[in-house]
Amino acid sequence: MLRTVLTMLAVAGIAAAAPAQQKEVMNMTKQNNHRILVACFSATGTTARVARMLADAVGGELYAITPAQPYTSADLNWRDSASRSSVEMDNPKSRPALKGAKVDMSAYDVVFVGYPVWWDQAPRIVNTFIEANDMKGCRVIPFATSGSSGIANSAAALKSAYPDLDWGEGRLLNGADARSIRQWLDRLGY
């Protein structure tokens, strides 16, 4: 009798675990059906940390959007109207030069584009990256980090500047961890 009860409990345990295993397999399948690039500009390392977690979660390739001339702490001083970042952000046509080769976007169908929010916008180097790489045919999904701003205005500005791209729902990922990133990706279907 005890053996029968234990056998029934074991079968019930396996049956209970099956949906969770099936969901994990479905998530892996979703990830494997997409060729994903996680491109990010990070001046201080905060956005890069989130981008690494995101790339791990989707099984995507990580790409650093790197300026030809690195930003110094003086360049990032937002309180100084003459600092490099202030001057760039004050000029919507500013396009800081990139270091490195263009990305072969034909290798991807989804591109996550990450950045820190500066002056309620994406840094101008993000525009340089988008303009240097043909993302038509890719789903483009913004993500950002910020000390005080949300992502809504910066994402709207990018969508307005590049209306021919297929934009997905962006997300501010301040303090993100693997679980919160996974929840966002699940809502997006990745």
Side-chain angles (χ1 to χ4, degrees), residues 67-85:
Q69 177 185 350
Y71 288 89
T72 66
S73 58
D75 291 336
L76 300 173
N77 183 355
W78 59 272
R79 290 184 177 123
D80 178 0
S81 62
S83 74
R84 177 177 164 200
S85 59

Side-chain angles (χ1 to χ4, degrees), residues 78-138:
W78 59 272
R79 290 184 177 123
D80 178 0
S81 62
S83 74
R84 177 177 164 200
S85 59
S86 296
V87 170
E88 288 174 0
M89 295 310 292
D90 193 41
N91 178 1
K93 295 184 188 279
S94 176
R95 295 297 183 266
L98 295 169
K99 179 180 179 181
K102 289 173 53 170
V103 179
D104 177 10
M105 288 297 170
S106 69
Y108 306 100
D109 54 7
V110 178
V111 180
F112 286 88
V113 178
Y115 52 87
V117 178
W118 289 359
W119 292 262
D120 210 26
Q121 299 296 310
R124 303 293 182 214
I125 195 163
V126 172
N127 298 84
T128 307
F129 175 76
I130 291 171
E131 293 168 10
N133 295 284
D134 182 6
M135 294 187 213
K136 288 182 184 157
C138 296

Side-chain angles (χ1 to χ4, degrees), residues 1-15:
M1 176 76 166
L2 181 59
R3 183 176 288 173
T4 303
V5 170
L6 290 174
T7 302
M8 289 175 55
L9 286 173
V11 169
I14 291 169

Side-chain angles (χ1 to χ4, degrees), residues 33-46:
N33 286 338
H34 296 285
R35 298 165 302 153
I36 300 175
L37 178 69
V38 178
C40 111
F41 166 68
S42 184
T44 64
T46 302

